[in-house]
Amino acid sequence: MSLRPVIVGGGSAGMAAAIELAGAGVASVLVDEASRLGGVVYRGPLRAGVDLGYLGARYSKALKQLHTDFAACAEHVDVRLGSRVVGGDAQRLMVLDEHEQLQPLDYSHLLLAAGCHERNVPFPGWTLPGVMLLGGLQLQIKSNVVKPLGGTLIAGTGPLLPLVACQLHAAGAKVVGVYEACAFSRIARQSLALMNKPQLFLDGLSMLGYMKLHGIDMHYGWGVVSAQGEAELSGVSVAPYDAHWQADMSRVQRQPAQTLAVGYGFIPRTQLSQQLGLAHGFSDDGYLRADCNVWQQSSLAHIHLAGDMGGIRGGEAAMLTGRIAAVSMLQRRGVLDAEQAIERRERYLGRLAAITRFRSGVERYTARGPAQIELAQPDTVICRCEQVRREAIDVALAQGVEDMASLKMRTRVSMGDCQGRMCVGYCSDRLRAATGRADVGWLRPRFPLEPIPFSAFQHLGTEA
Amino acid sequence: MNKTYDIVIAGAGVIGASCAYQLSKRGNLRIALIDDKRPGNATRASAGGLWAIGESVGLGCGVIFFRMLSSQAKRQAHGAAVAVDSSTPHILPECFFDLALQSNALYPQLHEELIARHGMDFKFERTGLKYVIQDDEDQLYAEHIVRHIPHLQAQIRWLDRQALRQAEPAITEQAHGALEFLCDHQLSPFRLCDAYMEAARQNGVDLYPNTCVSQVLHHGGRIKGVRTEQAGDFHCDTLINAAGAWAAELSEWATGTRLPVNPVKGQIVLTERMPRLLDGCITTSDCYLAQKDNGEILIGSTTEEKGFDVTTTVPEITSLVQGAIRCMPQLAGVNLKRTWAGLRPGSPDELPILGPVDEMPGYFNACGHFRTGMLTSAITGVLLDKVIHNERTPLDLAPFLASRFERVAVPA
Ligand SMILES: Cc1cc2nc3c(=O)[nH]c(=O)nc-3n(C[C@H](O)[C@@H](O)[C@H](O)COP(=O)(O)OP(=O)(O)OC[C@H]3O[C@@H](n4cnc5c(N)ncnc54)[C@H](O)[C@@H]3O)c2cc1C
Ligand SMILES: Cc1cc2nc3c(=O)[nH]c(=O)nc-3n(C[C@H](O)[C@H](O)[C@H](O)COP(=O)(O)OP(=O)(O)OC[C@H]3O[C@@H](n4cnc5c(N)ncnc54)[C@H](O)[C@@H]3O)c2cc1C
């Protein structure tokens, strides 16, 4: 086994895996496109000397812990920052390095821990400047780059809403209201499951207390309907959502706001796992997800998945799944025997169990309402890259288009730079509703996963 | 689940779709167009060049192919690999020129017709095709081409260094000049296929997407129908094999004989959207470049015999990228957005395989279009419509019949 294990993604999952491997004396290569390790939750401030006190003591402690543990094994990890994996196959990755050159990276064991992206929900005005994704906004506060000007309205679902509201407020921004799509009674029904993580539950309660104290209103069972503005956002229309997230258009209210943060959930990244040819299935919400087993192992025995890519359960779970994947690799490399590996795995699984129960509670109340896709109007842009509007999709469906690939050819949706990351969800929902079939195909990601300069190839040879 | 049609078309790439469209215009036929959306479908992968002369003389999509053939030939002869064999430009037979030029002439009218009657625009653009001459060998090659096609002089123009700079300022200053084929144009390949298909649907053709023909049914020594995995049996008297690179399999089920159609892989590179940089389509001895209707520049393409594999591979992509930068230096500062691969339905003599076969009444070929199926789709639809109805065809089908292969002993 000459090659070191390669880890794609230096977030919670990838870092924890590298730590576990190093602990067993196994050196690894860790590739991340960002300029700092830590991933979406633990990347920390971009500049030194920034006080992140406004993010809370528990967060600061966890952040410090992860980076300290990692620093302790740094000599065992070949960290390659500013390096983006843009393609590959079952033996080799293609990496765009920090000098924007394409480099092959061969592997014998690979861990994919590239995280998730946020779900895009098209509604009238969603492409206006000032409308952002909630996690993206949170990343900005966490890295202390910018702070939204004017009032911010938060609409979405899940525990990230009150968290970001408090973080925004503590950072000095104005929050004009938080609109949780789910009715309070449905959240209350999950309180037993949520008590599996009492600290998180209490954190949640204390955040609600903080919001109350500072006059930030939490509206349960309300959601976004549209955003208004000329060159930029000036107001947001919200309305009550029923259990299917059907907006009650007779009760629309308009709120002035300069920033709208939209957070209707996360989707595991699949571009890389598809490109490498791993088996995928569909999760309950209709999204594609790479298959993985209790060892975090994909359909190819030498490729593992950890963190959000194997299912979204938050930062702590991401670390545990990263460790389990590392244990499995250690066993495959003969560093641990089966008994040792199972013993360790069970330890991590035990800690994962409570989180999983907590997350299932969250998932039940944040489950996406199918009626929300009706927010898009005929002239609402669905594919931002190619500026394809809903009406073009309506026409294609009426003409009998039944699958993703045909919809792409007929309308150009997903032919842009992002390869459909933003619109595939909407398109797949519409196709499934129109055909009544569960599987309408998915987009096959193509090399390169993101645009790369032609000059990146100039040093490469043309002989295989 | 039994369905009854007059005609079943297996395969809805550009060829099957064109046949469906032409046949649907008769208005009195029940037609089913069945397609299995296999990865590698050539139509979705295509460049959309209508390079009637360019392809007939071995440029465009043919460049890398002929370079490969001639270097193979030379390697065998001299034991060393050499670049283009300029002494023997690869020129297709007369009957192919006729097919290509007649088909090409149909597009302006077809474009108007599909927009006016069916609201479908396949983005036909008059571009011309310039063979950019970058060294002495290219120059020899161009001169040979011109000598071989005296009857097409009216469609040819020489551009000297200065004329080329004026016409195509983005092309390298190193270029000596160009040979332009005035009647060679372009369109959007997937829009062409969609336009035929949607027009056919509007004319009453039933579409069966994501449906795979898995068997051919016979009765009394003729075609009686097909069996599909998803939609049961289809009864019909007439079956058209438009199965692209997969046509051999279908012909075997239908006639007991495998057609010599084999997949020939082609990889393509696409840039991000750019302002208008190219006035027309460009072909060099490394690759071709075509700026499409939305500003992206498409760079093609490799010619590889890799079975049904459709992965993209870095060495091949690199050679396209480097060839493109050589001809258009500013590409070095541009982003590459996408690569993909498709499977051309190759035939041994590079001619399509069209029309009936003696031993199986009711069965018709519309396959083997290799690297020019976009270009020749228009005439293929017309020919199939005519031959199925026993009407006079606008050109002689004899060179394109499958029976031509029986004269040559094809090893099994
Ligand atoms: C914006 C955002 C905010 C979130 N906030 C919270 C929160 O506050 N609390 C919480 O519990 N959960 C949060 N989540 C959920 C979060 O994703 C956790 O589930 C968990 O931290 C995921 O860890 P991970 O290691 O799987 O992924 P990440 O932490 O996302 O790490 C993935 C890493 O992979 C890198 N990467 C991705 N693609 C490539 C590539 N092609 N080449 C090279 N590198 C690549 C990324 O740069 C990133 O650093 C948030 C998610 C998002 C998207
Ligand atoms: C990279 C590349 C560039 C090209 N550039 C050009 C160009 O510039 N100009 C030009 O004129 N030509 C070009 N070509 C060639 C052109 O694309 C092809 O000749 C043409 O698309 C062939 O069309 P087709 O309908 O025969 O095959 P396809 O488009 O492959 O369609 C065949 C269809 O049949 C279906 N099928 C197969 N078997 C079955 C079955 N048993 N049941 C149901 N369905 C079945 C398949 O799923 C497929 O969808 C290019 C090709 C490639 C690969």
Side-chain angles (χ1 to χ4, degrees):
Chain A
M1 210 58 66
S2 57
L3 297 170
R4 293 171 290 178
V6 171
I7 302 172
V8 179
S12 336
M15 288 174 79
I19 294 169
E20 183 81 23
L21 290 171
V26 172
S28 58
V29 179
L30 177 57
V31 182
D32 200 301
E33 64 188 7
S35 59
R36 294 173 53 89
L37 290 176
V40 288
V41 177
Y42 297 115
R43 200 166 284 148
L46 291 177
R47 282 167 286 137
V50 172
D51 177 15
L52 290 178
Y54 57 85
L55 293 177
R58 237 170 62 84
Y59 173 78
S60 304
K61 193 168 153 236
L63 177 77
K64 196 157 163 241
Q65 181 76 53
L66 180 63
H67 286 276
T68 311
D69 290 352
F70 190 82
C73 63
E75 59 184 314
H76 284 104
V77 192
D78 174 357
V79 178
R80 304 192 186 165
L81 295 171
S83 299
R84 169 176 297 170
V85 179
V86 291
D89 58 30
Q91 285 89 38
R92 164 180 287 192
L93 298 177
M94 290 310 297
V95 183
L96 188 70
D97 70 14
E98 65 214 306
H99 309 294
E100 302 237 292
Q101 292 297 301
L102 207 50
Q103 307 291 356
L105 178 57
D106 291 340
Y107 64 87
S108 53
H109 286 111
L110 177 68
L111 174 62
L112 294 179
C116 65
H117 49 86
E118 296 183 78
R119 174 177 283 139
N120 280 277
V121 178
F123 51 84
W126 74 290
T127 55
L128 275 173
V131 180
M132 313 185 52
L133 290 168
L134 180 66
L137 177 63
Q138 189 205 24
L139 270 190
Q140 292 190 355
I141 328 169
K142 281 197 285 204
S143 60
N144 201 288
V145 270
V146 279
K147 168 170 89 184
L149 300 168
T152 298
L153 188 147
I154 297 176
T157 188
L160 203 57
L161 266 57
L163 174 63
V164 178
C166 295
Q167 291 173 337
L168 269 174
H169 182 272
K174 180 169 178 241
V175 180
V176 299
V178 181
Y179 295 82
E180 161 62 59
C182 180
F184 185 74
S185 55
R186 289 186 59 204
I187 300 179
R189 230 173 289 147
Q190 301 303 331
S191 32
L192 211 58
L194 300 180
M195 279 310 287
N196 277 293
K197 292 296 285 179
Q199 189 56 49
L200 286 180
F201 192 56
L202 287 178
D203 281 357
L205 291 181
S206 75
M207 285 189 286
L208 296 178
Y210 179 100
M211 286 168 63
K212 204 166 197 152
L213 187 68
H214 294 95
I216 304 171
D217 289 334
M218 183 85 189
H219 308 265
Y220 293 97
W222 281 69
V224 68
V225 167
S226 65
Q228 298 91 32
E230 286 302 322
E232 52 195 61
L233 186 73
S234 59
V236 180
S237 293
V238 290
Y241 276 18
D242 73 7
H244 305 287
W245 293 13
Q246 178 90 53
D248 180 351
M249 301 305 276
S250 67
R251 294 172 60 199
V252 173
Q253 285 182 10
R254 218 195 121 166
Q255 304 289 350
Q258 279 68 58
T259 302
L260 167 60
V262 187
Y264 289 102
F266 300 102
I267 307 147
R269 281 186 204 271
T270 53
Q271 284 76 18
L272 207 46
S273 51
Q274 282 192 81
Q275 173 113 133
L276 302 187
L278 308 184
H280 289 70
F282 292 99
S283 42
D284 293 343
D285 67 355
Y287 276 83
L288 195 73
R289 189 169 87 187
D291 293 343
C292 78
N293 65 17
V294 69
W295 288 104
Q296 299 296 131
Q297 191 178 34
S298 78
S299 58
L300 297 182
H302 66 304
I303 303 181
H304 288 73
L305 300 154
D308 288 346
M309 278 187 84
I312 291 155
R313 282 174 288 185
E316 203 181 334
M319 290 190 231
L320 290 166
T321 54
R323 286 191 180 262
I324 292 171
V327 168
S328 176
M329 289 194 281
L330 288 171
Q331 188 197 342
R332 299 190 62 79
R333 295 173 79 90
V335 179
L336 297 179
D337 65 27
E339 205 180 319
Q340 291 167 318
I342 291 174
E343 196 267 338
R344 277 202 208 184
R345 184 194 72 187
E346 290 307 306
R347 193 148 28 94
Y348 295 135
L349 278 177
R351 283 158 61 189
L352 200 56
I355 303 177
T356 304
R357 284 193 297 271
F358 171 81
R359 291 303 293 198
S360 335
V362 173
E363 260 160 45
R364 278 192 292 272
Y365 87 77
T366 59
R368 184 165 75 102
Q372 200 184 26
I373 60 168
E374 291 165 25
L375 290 177
Q377 298 300 302
D379 63 349
T380 303
V381 167
I382 304 298
C383 169
R384 292 180 83 147
C385 304
E386 295 290 322
Q387 291 290 309
V388 181
R389 297 172 189 279
R390 197 199 83 183
E391 56 208 356
I393 294 171
D394 296 344
V395 168
L397 294 176
Q399 290 172 345
V401 166
E402 291 189 357
D403 57 88
M404 238 5 259
S406 303
L407 187 66
K408 170 177 174 178
M409 295 296 159
R410 187 63 59 92
T411 64
R412 292 197 66 90
V413 290
S414 84
M415 285 198 186
D417 286 1
C418 89
Q419 300 211 23
R421 265 188 289 262
M422 284 193 269
C423 64
V424 65
Y426 178 87
C427 294
S428 161
D429 285 350
R430 291 292 310 274
L431 283 164
R432 279 182 284 123
T435 60
R437 288 203 315 260
D439 184 358
V440 291
W442 204 256
L443 293 166
R444 253 171 6 115
R446 312 279 185 179
F447 171 81
L449 299 178
E450 292 188 30
I452 59 176
F454 268 64
S455 53
F457 292 83
Q458 265 168 324
H459 69 291
L460 290 177
T462 55
E463 298 290 321
Chain B
M1 253 208 294
N2 274 348
K3 305 181 170 68
T4 303
Y5 288 95
D6 297 308
I7 302 175
V8 164
I9 304 170
V14 73
I15 298 300
S18 174
C19 294
Y21 173 57
Q22 294 300 343
L23 286 159
S24 75
K25 287 202 227 168
R26 297 201 176 237
N28 60 351
L29 297 170
R30 288 161 302 168
I31 304 168
L33 179 58
I34 304 178
D35 189 76
D36 185 28
K37 274 267 139 39
R38 300 192 175 174
N41 163 303
T43 298
R44 275 181 279 150
S46 174
L50 298 178
W51 301 327
I53 303 182
E55 291 289 355
S56 299
V57 299
L59 294 169
C61 234
V63 154
I64 295 182
F65 182 57
F66 297 125
R67 219 173 34 169
M68 183 183 77
L69 284 185
S70 60
S71 76
Q72 264 170 10
K74 278 213 174 168
R75 201 174 304 148
Q76 278 152 10
H78 310 292
V82 192
V84 188
D85 182 354
S86 50
S87 56
T88 52
H90 192 104
I91 297 203
L92 292 179
E94 197 58 41
C95 63
F96 185 81
F97 277 84
D98 289 345
L99 181 82
L101 287 163
Q102 278 205 36
S103 194
N104 198 28
L106 297 174
Y107 283 96
Q109 152 73 22
L110 192 60
H111 185 226
E112 280 172 27
E113 170 179 316
L114 287 166
I115 292 178
R117 294 199 201 145
H118 303 286
M120 299 299 284
D121 179 358
F122 60 72
K123 307 280 179 186
F124 172 70
E125 283 179 82
R126 291 175 195 274
T127 54
L129 175 69
K130 298 184 190 79
Y131 173 43
V132 174
I133 296 163
Q134 303 188 76
D135 56 31
D136 294 343
E137 206 159 357
D138 290 350
Q139 178 69 31
L140 278 180
Y141 197 75
E143 284 166 13
H144 278 287
I145 288 171
V146 172
R147 228 169 295 139
H148 271 84
I149 48 171
H151 55 299
L152 294 172
Q153 296 304 317
Q155 296 300 336
I156 284 179
R157 176 166 70 191
W158 285 99
L159 295 149
D160 63 14
R161 192 183 288 267
Q162 209 189 342
L164 176 62
R165 280 215 66 69
Q166 217 143 42
E168 300 285 2
I171 297 301
T172 173
E173 292 182 25
Q174 308 299 316
H176 302 188
L179 176 65
E180 183 171 15
F181 306 105
L182 302 175
C183 66
D184 289 7
H185 303 304
Q186 73 164 338
L187 46 71
S188 161
F190 49 88
R191 283 184 187 269
L192 176 64
C193 183
D194 264 16
Y196 286 137
M197 201 153 57
E198 172 58 14
R201 190 194 68 86
Q202 289 177 15
N203 288 344
V205 172
D206 288 340
L207 309 182
Y208 292 89
N210 304 299
T211 305
C212 179
V213 172
S214 55
Q215 210 178 311
V216 176
L217 311 173
H218 299 92
H219 185 73
R222 58 169 296 129
I223 295 290
K224 199 189 110 212
V226 296
R227 177 154 296 163
T228 67
E229 285 169 13
Q230 295 82 357
D233 288 357
F234 290 64
H235 293 293
C236 65
D237 299 326
T238 303
L239 169 64
I240 300 180
N241 180 353
W246 300 268
E249 176 187 78
L250 188 65
S251 77
E252 189 170 1
W253 297 336
T255 68
T257 309
R258 257 183 109 74
L259 283 175
V261 174
N262 285 304
V264 181
K265 177 176 167 181
Q267 303 192 42
I268 291 240
V269 166
L270 190 72
T271 69
E272 62 191 346
R273 280 170 197 243
M274 315 265 282
R276 253 303 125 204
L277 288 176
L278 294 176
D279 183 56
C281 297
I282 302 293
T283 173
T284 75
S285 46
D286 302 312
C287 64
Y288 57 80
L289 299 99
Q291 188 160 26
K292 306 308 285 187
D293 58 292
N294 63 350
E296 297 159 347
I297 298 177
L298 190 151
I299 298 154
S301 66
T302 65
T303 304
E304 304 166 68
E305 285 172 5
K306 298 274 170 67
F308 288 95
D309 169 61
V310 284
T311 53
T312 51
T313 49
V314 174
E316 281 70 24
I317 297 295
T318 302
S319 80
L320 290 174
V321 163
Q322 292 174 353
I325 294 177
R326 177 174 172 231
C327 170
M328 191 175 162
Q330 78 193 83
L331 283 177
V334 162
N335 270 340
L336 183 162
K337 179 164 100 167
R338 209 84 100 233
T339 62
W340 64 76
L343 301 172
R344 303 178 187 88
S347 74
D349 55 8
E350 298 163 41
L351 302 184
I353 306 167
L354 308 174
V357 300
D358 292 338
E359 62 277 18
M360 186 50 62
Y363 171 82
F364 292 85
N365 284 312
C367 52
H369 290 75
F370 194 33
R371 60 195 156 83
T372 58
M374 288 297 142
L375 169 64
T376 54
S377 70
I379 193 100
T380 298
V382 171
L383 289 171
L384 266 284
D385 174 55
K386 298 281 187 218
V387 73
I388 285 172
H389 288 94
N390 279 315
E391 293 170 9
R392 237 177 81 86
T393 51
L395 51 79
D396 182 14
L397 269 189
F400 305 108
L401 292 171
S403 55
R404 72 182 186 269
F405 297 116
E406 286 160 2
R407 277 174 250 137
V408 197
V410 183

